[in-house]
Amino acid sequence: MPCTWRTLDLWLLLISTVFLVAASTNSSLTDRQQRSSTPPAAANTSLSVRVGTKAVLSCPPVTSTAVQVTTWEITLRDQPACTRAYRRDTNETRAKNCSDETISWDTRHDQNPVLQIDPVAITHDGYYRCEVATPEGNFYQGYHLQVTVPPEATLFRGKNGTVVCRAAAGRPAAQISWTPAGDCDTEEEPLGNDTVTVQSTCLWEDHPVSTVSCSVSHLTGNQSLSIDLNSEDQASSNSKILYISISIAIILIIVGSICLLKLGVCRKCKLKKIEANSVVEEEEMQPYASYTEKNNPLYDTVSKVKQSGVLQNEIDGL
């Protein structure tokens, strides 16, 4: 009898162990099936795209043969929502409230239902969501698209010994830093096309510096500009010297022209005086010449010779 009861206990223990193993295996299989059939949560991604480039947005990674319907929902600022759908079994595409031709399907949307934007503009800033319908459920992928515009960075001398670093028409606004640090004032100016111009003006009064650099940080890339203040001062002094020299030359030319003009006028006046004096002398000499001609025997002889010649000509004619 003791052996019989002990054998019975062993059998009961073995049977209970088998049931526990079977229950745990069934539970794990059920969990796996539930996890495989449960669609993943919607994934949202922030995406920055440079203006003027091409953007490609993909749907969730699902086997293409299992996809029944693919739908893109596009929500842009101050515009009605646009919907683009593709049905695989009928190979049919539909669009609603979609007027932007730069947003379109890829060339083979039946194999890869991606959305492309070419070229990207500032107005394409918004939210894009792809929904894929399969027999196992619906899968989602969203994109918060931010369009970036690179700023135009310049560095130049300002007024009263200041230096100005400007990042013009950037999106989003750029950040400006200086090396070495100085007494700086930074201003932002929003523009009408959703871009921002940032300008930083610096002055180094406490510690004079020879070279300064400004760094422009932006999502599209960083830029660094430098300026040599000593060379700028030398160039400024050279420009001043050149300006003064040109001014002096112009003044000398004007003064010389005036002097030449006065000399010409004086010469004309002198010539007129000389001519007037000669006329007066001739008029004064005219009575004396007449008197000399009347009282001089030489003039009388000449006149008689002339008269004799006339008489002789008349006789010959007769």
Side-chain angles (χ1 to χ4, degrees):
M1 286 296 294
C3 293
T4 305
W5 284 107
R6 184 179 297 175
T7 303
L8 183 61
D9 291 337
L10 290 173
W11 276 104
L12 291 175
L13 180 60
L14 181 61
I15 293 171
S16 61
T17 303
V18 170
F19 274 107
L20 289 173
V21 172
S24 62
T25 303
N26 188 20
S27 176
S28 62
L29 290 174
T30 304
D31 292 340
R32 289 179 183 177
Q33 291 177 356
Q34 290 179 353
R35 285 198 298 268
S36 62
S37 61
T38 301
N44 290 315
T45 304
S46 295
L47 183 63
S48 297
V49 182
R50 187 168 177 168
V51 66
T53 60
K54 179 180 178 180
V56 178
L57 309 180
S58 302
C59 290
V62 180
T63 305
S64 59
T65 56
V67 177
Q68 295 176 340
V69 178
T70 303
T71 304
W72 277 98
E73 293 182 0
I74 305 169
T75 305
L76 303 179
R77 185 177 54 185
D78 300 331
Q79 294 185 17
C82 163
T83 303
R84 294 180 180 273
Y86 169 69
R87 185 170 176 176
R88 183 180 178 80
D89 57 351
T90 59
N91 195 24
E92 181 184 2
T93 58
R94 292 184 180 181
K96 181 181 179 182
N97 295 330
C98 302
S99 58
D100 194 341
E101 296 181 355
T102 59
I103 304 176
S104 62
W105 293 98
D106 197 3
T107 54
R108 294 301 303 272
H109 50 270
D110 55 337
Q111 297 179 0
N112 189 17
V114 301
L115 194 71
Q116 64 178 6
I117 309 172
D118 188 21
V120 174
I122 295 178
T123 55
H124 292 144
D125 214 71
Y127 181 69
Y128 300 74
R129 191 183 75 157
C130 177
E131 178 183 356
V132 177
T134 67
E136 291 80 15
N138 294 351
F139 300 84
Y140 303 91
Q141 175 67 51
Y143 297 92
H144 293 280
L145 186 66
Q146 181 184 19
V147 181
T148 60
V149 180
E152 181 181 357
T154 54
L155 180 64
F156 55 93
R157 295 290 296 268
K159 298 180 180 178
N160 302 324
T162 61
V163 181
V164 180
C165 183
R166 178 182 297 167
R171 189 175 192 268
Q175 295 181 351
I176 298 177
S177 59
W178 291 89
T179 304
D183 184 11
C184 304
D185 182 22
T186 303
E187 298 178 351
E188 293 187 3
E189 179 185 1
L191 304 179
N193 56 352
D194 292 338
T195 59
V196 180
T197 294
V198 182
Q199 179 170 300
S200 180
T201 305
C202 280
L203 182 64
W204 292 265
E205 291 182 337
D206 299 335
H207 50 288
V209 294
S210 59
T211 303
V212 296
S213 301
C214 83
S215 299
V216 178
S217 302
H218 197 260
L219 291 177
T220 58
N222 301 330
Q223 304 179 55
S224 181
L225 302 174
S226 300
I227 188 171
D228 188 354
L229 300 182
N230 292 334
S231 63
E232 290 288 330
D233 293 337
Q234 184 66 29
S236 177
S237 62
N238 292 337
S239 300
K240 290 180 180 179
I241 293 172
L242 180 61
Y243 175 76
I244 292 172
S245 301
I246 293 174
S247 300
I248 292 174
I250 292 173
I251 292 172
L252 291 176
I253 291 172
I254 294 173
V255 172
S257 301
I258 294 173
C259 292
L260 291 174
L261 182 61
K262 287 185 176 181
L263 287 174
V265 173
C266 291
R267 287 180 179 178
K268 290 182 179 180
C269 291
K270 288 181 179 180
L271 290 174
K272 289 181 178 180
K273 287 182 180 179
I274 292 171
E275 291 177 355
N277 292 332
S278 62
V279 170
V280 170
E281 290 178 356
E282 185 177 355
E283 290 178 352
E284 290 178 352
M285 291 295 295
Q286 188 66 29
Y288 176 76
S290 301
Y291 174 78
T292 303
E293 184 178 355
K294 290 179 181 180
N295 298 308
N296 194 342
L298 181 60
Y299 284 102
D300 186 52
T301 304
V302 172
S303 61
K304 289 180 179 180
V305 170
K306 288 181 179 180
Q307 291 176 0
S308 299
V310 172
L311 292 173
Q312 185 63 37
N313 290 332
E314 290 178 354
I315 292 170
D316 293 338
L318 294 173

